[in-house]
Each structure stands twice: as structure tokens, then as C-alpha cells.
Amino acid sequence: MTTDIHELSRSEMEVLKVLWRHGRLSAREVHGHVEPRRGWALSTTRTLLERMVRKGAVVREPFHGVNLYAAAVSRPVGLAALVRDFAERILEIDAAAVVPLLSRDADLSDEELAELERLLAAGDGEAPRD
Amino acid sequence: MTTDIHELSRSEMEVLKVLWRHGRLSAREVHGHVEPRRGWALSTTRTLLERMVRKGAVVREPFHGVNLYAAAVSRPVGLAALVRDFAERILEIDAAAVVPLLSRDADLSDEELAELERLLAAGDGEAPRD
DNA sequence: AAATCTATACTACACTTGTAGCGTAATGAC
DNA sequence: GTCATTACGCTACAAGTGTAGTATAGATTT
């Protein structure tokens, strides 16, 4: 159960991307990264984080009196699920076809890319929509 | 205003794809195509169509006492907007990079493909998010 | 220690989405 | 002409989303 990442709302995706970029952060830190482009109140960022925890997309870990949040799935795994969903549901093409594209342009490390490629090629990641 | 197609919900996208495939249809006809895989009641299909009309994603036209519905944007234009949104918002890559991919795998006619390519290359279609 | 800041957990509230049912008028079958 | 179908325009209602505010308790500053 890869946490059904494509069920996240736009706002939630924004938060997830911050966690992918910066790893484990406090709510306030997440807010610091997200606020400039969204203009949310801090409490909004908190609410989103909590909802994402409930959804299983984010893990929370108490750390010396502060909650730290981190993405529940790595970026490659998450992107694999998202690409698969988009390719199959919207474009109606084979998800694996997207890989070469990513290898050229996405800012993925070599390891990330390798993993993503493996995930998509293997038909792993998410069950096809139907 | 290309109707902000990426604001459509999953269910609405399903309906839109039917209209892209079959052109102008009555609510009942749309339902016929969509019901097998979604199991909606007819009234559900109707509601979705009406909501999409309100959103500007679908146009309604009365025809001899029956409303006919059609996609407000062509498939290439719609896909261009969707690809652009996905590429920029999720993958954070240049949308034009997706074109070669589509030319190989998507079931677009030559004219559709040409139009899509033009749209993405030109930076047309949708204004970039933020 | 008092005042302030910050964190967490609740609560709130309007709008959207999923998913339909109902009432009424027009259409077609008998 | 009456009955069954169908279409259409409302209404409905729970769950999800966008977007916060508040109450309460611990930490920091002066």
C-alpha cells in the first residue's frame, strides 16, 4: 500500500514536495518553505501536515517536544506512482514510456533515477487504475 | 481562458475523455459509455455534466428537446494543458520535453499531434502555475 | 516570576466532490 | 387518450479540501 499518493490534493502535494526536498522538518520549517508561494497561515500548514499523516502520506515523529514530519515515501517511489497514474489515466499510454524523459530532464540523482526506472519498468508502485 | 482543465476532478476527467472519444453526446449516451466502469446512476452522470458545463469544460447545446454535450476544448489542447501542469507542477521539468514521448505512444492523430506539439512548444495552453 | 513565544490538539466553516433522488413535462407505445 | 419512459431542472447530503482561529501548556526572555 504505497499510500495512494495520487489522492493527495494540490496543496498537500506542495507540502510533500517540500518534505522531499528537505527531509525531516518541523511544521514551522515546512511552513517557512511553503508560505512564500502559498501565503498560508501557519495553522493551515499544520492542518495539512496532520491530514497527510492521517492519510499515511507523511510520518510524524515527536522529537524533544516538537513534531517532525517526513514524507512516507521516497521521491522516486512517489514520482513513480504519480507518473504511472498520469500516464495511464490521462494519457492512456504505458507508464514506462515516461522514463527516458525523466532521465534527461528531472532533477533526480542517479540512484533516484535508477530506482524510479526500476519501479516503472517492473510495473511496481501502484496498481493500474482500470 | 482555456477553461483550466486541470481543475477537473477524476470523475469529471472520466466524462471528458468520453466526450473526447465520441464527440457530441446526450447525457444518456455519455452515461452508457461511463457506467460500465464507474457504475454511476444516470443522475450522477447528469450532475457531472452540468457541473462541467458550469465550469466551462463542457458545452451544452439543446437539440430537439435533448441536451447534447461536448468537450469545450479539443483533446490536443486539453492534453497540452494537462501535460504542462503535470510536468511543471509535479515533475518540475519543462513541459515541452514530454512531446517526443507522446508522439510515440499516445493515440493521437497526426493533426492532433501537430497541434499538441505546437501548443507545448509555444508555451501556449495554460499559464504556468504560480 | 510575569510577559511572551511556540507547540500541539481541537474546532470551525464555506465550498467542492461523490453520489444520488424527486417532481414535472414531453414523448412514445398501445 | 392513458400509461410508461425519458429528459430536465432542483434538491440533498456526507465526506473531502481550503483556510484558519482558539484553548492550553511548556519554553524563553527580561
Side-chain angles (χ1 to χ4, degrees):
Chain A
M1 198 163 326
T2 323
T3 222
D4 243 2
I5 202 178
H6 54 265
E7 297 291 341
L8 297 182
S9 74
R10 282 163 181 277
S11 303
E12 290 167 341
M13 263 307 302
E14 202 69 35
V15 168
L16 184 60
K17 288 199 296 180
V18 167
L19 293 177
W20 275 343
R21 254 196 292 284
H22 303 90
R24 186 175 309 276
L25 296 177
S26 72
R28 185 171 289 272
E29 287 165 333
V30 171
H31 185 63
H33 288 290
V34 136
E35 191 278 336
R37 72 176 57 246
R38 311 293 293 217
W40 292 334
L42 175 57
S43 56
T44 299
T45 303
R46 274 182 204 287
T47 299
L48 285 174
L49 281 166
E50 281 308 312
R51 285 180 182 172
M52 293 172 80
V53 168
R54 214 177 315 136
K55 286 186 182 186
V58 162
V59 289
R60 173 183 43 191
E61 170 192 3
F63 183 77
H64 293 288
V66 181
N67 284 332
L68 296 186
Y69 299 86
V73 296
S74 71
R75 191 155 111 95
V77 170
L79 285 185
L82 290 166
V83 166
R84 177 174 303 285
D85 176 60
F86 185 73
E88 289 174 351
R89 187 169 59 83
I90 304 290
L91 303 180
E92 304 177 274
I93 65 178
D94 178 18
V98 184
V99 173
L101 162 76
L102 293 174
S103 62
R104 276 211 353 271
D105 297 272
D107 72 332
L108 290 158
S109 71
D110 286 344
E111 310 87 62
E112 280 187 318
L113 184 64
E115 186 177 359
L116 178 60
E117 192 148 5
R118 184 179 60 68
L119 288 170
L120 285 175
D124 206 349
E126 267 321 306
R129 270 267 126 245
D130 110 299
Chain B
M1 196 155 331
T2 324
T3 220
D4 243 0
I5 201 178
H6 54 265
E7 299 289 342
L8 298 183
S9 73
R10 281 162 181 276
S11 302
E12 290 167 341
M13 263 307 302
E14 202 69 34
V15 168
L16 183 60
K17 288 199 297 179
V18 166
L19 292 177
W20 274 342
R21 254 194 292 285
H22 303 23
R24 186 176 309 276
L25 297 178
S26 71
R28 185 171 288 270
E29 288 166 331
V30 170
H31 185 63
H33 288 291
V34 135
E35 192 276 338
R37 72 176 58 246
R38 311 293 292 214
W40 293 333
L42 175 58
S43 58
T44 299
T45 304
R46 271 181 208 287
T47 300
L48 286 174
L49 281 167
E50 280 310 312
R51 284 180 183 171
M52 293 172 79
V53 168
R54 213 178 314 136
K55 285 186 181 184
V58 162
V59 288
R60 174 184 40 193
E61 171 194 1
F63 183 76
H64 293 287
V66 180
N67 283 333
L68 296 185
Y69 298 87
V73 295
S74 71
R75 191 156 111 97
V77 170
L79 285 184
L82 290 166
V83 165
R84 177 174 303 284
D85 175 59
F86 186 73
E88 288 173 352
R89 186 169 59 81
I90 306 288
L91 302 180
E92 305 177 272
I93 66 179
D94 179 17
V98 185
V99 173
L101 162 75
L102 293 174
S103 60
R104 274 209 356 269
D105 297 272
D107 71 331
L108 291 157
S109 70
D110 286 345
E111 309 87 63
E112 280 187 319
L113 184 64
E115 186 177 358
L116 179 59
E117 192 148 6
R118 185 179 59 69
L119 289 170
L120 286 173
D124 206 349
E126 265 324 303
R129 271 275 121 238
D130 95 300

